[in-house]
């Protein structure tokens, strides 16, 4: 299969919408990372997502929708969902809700569970494609499973060229880490920190979020122990590089090959994280030492990705 690159204009979006209608896969830009999109109602298309990524079938997918009204087609809505959607949609927040009996989604999307993960992306190209296709889009990150998430179209091509129909080129992603995932199937629970700070969500709810136990069953994307990983080994909270290590800095770390944010800005660091890991991989780094990152705001999402990237790989 030859992978086409589509321009982010009316013609490119129309071509992407036709490919989606034909059951094909298109990598699309969102504000968080590039997603590998297929019609969430089409079992063959969803199966192609798992095949292209080499993704385990027990790992559920996020369904991207235009807005809260569309989300209510697939998940049982509630007051808390309404409050969070009004505050943060479109944006980097995914809500896990009870699956409606008449949702019409492929069972592969939910990995056979009775809940569904829903998000309304903010990126104008993603929103235009949702409108043009008229389809709910299952769209995990557009990379090989377990690898570094893609924040540029070149990252997608490196991993998936020849495995998918097209890449819709929207340039670099603004947020740079995946969405924050909140379960509303019971007590509001943080399933994955991400591009929306937890503090903002708790302020909107007027309550603290419960935390998922790391040894509980996988109920949402991004919960596998080893994930987002470069080829290199990684050592975290490093004050300096040891022999043979390449240093990834933060806040102006002396001797860093790359710095996530020289000024110590966590928003800038989140946007740069995966791009810098891709660059270190491409540069042939065999071991990466990562400077300490403050564990608040977007720092929680950055540290979550780094811990999973540094975890022992399953292969």
């Amino acid at each position: 299969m030859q992978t086409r690159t589509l321009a982010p204009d009316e013609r490119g979006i129309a071509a992407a919408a036709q490919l989606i209608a034909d059951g094909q896969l298109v990598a699309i830009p969102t504000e968080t990372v590039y997603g590998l999109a297929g019609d969430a109602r089409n079992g063959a298309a969803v199966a192609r997502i798992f095949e292209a990524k080499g993704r385990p079938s027990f790992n559920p997918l996020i369904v991207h929708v235009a807005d809260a009204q569309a989300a209510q087609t697939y998940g049982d809505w509630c007051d808390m969902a309404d409050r969070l959607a009004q505050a943060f949609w479109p944006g980097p927040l995914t809500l896990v809700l009870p699956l409606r009996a008449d949702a019409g989604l492929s069972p592969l999307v939910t990995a056979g569970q009775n809940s569904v993960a829903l998000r309304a992306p903010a990126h104008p190209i993603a929103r235009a494609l949702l409108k043009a296709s008229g389809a709910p889009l299952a769209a995990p990150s557009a990379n090989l499973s377990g690898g570094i998430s893609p924040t540029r179209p070149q990252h997608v091509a490196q991993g998936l060229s020849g495995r998918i129909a097209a890449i819709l080129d929207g340039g670099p992603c603004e947020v740079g880490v995946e969405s924050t995932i909140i379960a509303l199937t019971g007590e509001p629970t943080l399933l994955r920190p991400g591009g929306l700070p937890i503090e903002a969500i708790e302020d909107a709810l007027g309550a603290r979020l419960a935390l998922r136990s790391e040894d509980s069953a996988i109920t949402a994307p991004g919960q596998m122990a080893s994930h987002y990983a470069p080829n290199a080994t990684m050592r975290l909270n490093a004050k300096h590089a040891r022999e043979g290590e390449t240093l990834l800095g933060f806040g102006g770390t002396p001797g860093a090959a790359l710095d996530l944010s020289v000024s110590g800005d966590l928003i800038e660091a989140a946007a740069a994280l995966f791009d810098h890991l891709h660059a270190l991989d491409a540069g042939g780094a065999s071991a990466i030492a990562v400077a300490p990152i403050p564990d608040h705001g977007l720092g929680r999402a950055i540290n979550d990705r780094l811990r999973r990237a540094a975890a022992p790989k399953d292969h």
Side-chain angles (χ1 to χ4, degrees):
M1 177 187 296
Q2 184 171 359
T3 300
R4 301 161 56 189
T5 298
L6 303 175
D9 54 20
E10 187 174 346
R11 184 176 178 181
I13 291 165
Q18 185 59 56
L19 288 169
I20 295 292
D22 292 341
Q24 299 300 313
L25 306 183
V26 180
I28 65 170
T30 77
E31 71 277 21
T32 57
V33 300
Y34 272 76
L36 183 56
D39 188 336
R41 303 165 300 188
N42 183 329
V46 177
R48 289 188 182 102
I49 293 175
F50 285 94
E51 180 182 34
K53 285 177 58 68
R55 184 184 178 96
S57 60
F58 58 77
N59 200 355
L61 305 178
I62 293 172
V63 177
H64 293 68
V65 294
D67 51 32
Q69 183 177 356
Q72 293 172 53
T73 305
Y74 309 109
D76 283 332
W77 209 243
C78 62
D79 288 343
M80 285 185 292
D82 206 50
R83 194 182 314 170
L84 291 177
Q86 287 193 38
F88 303 116
W89 277 8
L93 174 66
T94 294
L95 301 178
V96 175
L97 299 168
L99 178 69
R100 285 181 57 118
D102 59 350
L105 300 175
S106 165
L108 288 171
V109 167
T110 60
Q113 299 180 39
N114 59 1
S115 59
V116 61
L118 298 163
R119 178 165 101 84
H123 197 291
I125 303 302
R127 296 188 65 74
L129 179 59
L130 283 162
K131 181 178 179 180
S133 69
L137 298 177
S141 57
N143 61 310
L144 295 175
S145 186
I148 308 170
S149 297
T151 57
R152 297 175 182 269
Q154 303 95 301
H155 300 160
V156 180
Q158 287 166 12
L160 296 180
S161 184
R163 302 168 73 97
I164 63 175
I167 300 170
L168 188 53
D169 186 348
C173 299
E174 182 179 353
V175 175
V177 292
E178 293 85 353
S179 60
T180 304
I181 303 180
I182 304 297
L184 296 178
T185 51
E187 182 183 13
T189 301
L190 174 68
L191 299 184
R192 179 181 75 182
L196 182 65
I198 297 162
E199 294 89 340
I201 298 168
E202 291 181 334
D203 284 347
L205 287 176
R208 298 292 298 273
L209 292 167
L211 300 178
R212 168 188 176 267
S213 170
E214 280 293 325
D215 58 2
S216 59
I218 291 175
T219 55
Q223 295 179 339
M224 294 177 66
S226 176
H227 207 39
Y228 316 108
N231 293 320
T233 60
M234 294 180 65
R235 182 170 64 90
L236 308 184
N237 297 311
K239 300 295 176 62
H240 54 79
R242 296 171 181 166
E243 185 176 352
E245 290 182 331
T246 302
L247 184 59
L248 177 60
F250 175 79
T253 307
L258 292 173
D259 199 298
L260 293 170
S261 173
V262 173
S263 66
D265 185 321
L266 289 170
I267 296 175
E268 182 181 10
L273 176 62
F274 291 136
D275 194 38
H276 281 10
L277 290 178
H278 276 288
L280 293 175
D281 246 6
S286 59
I288 301 170
V290 185
I293 309 294
D295 201 39
H296 60 78
L298 287 181
R300 293 188 185 183
I302 296 169
N303 283 319
D304 172 79
R305 303 308 188 271
L306 287 171
R307 282 191 295 270
R308 295 180 193 278
K313 298 177 178 61
D314 297 329
H315 53 276

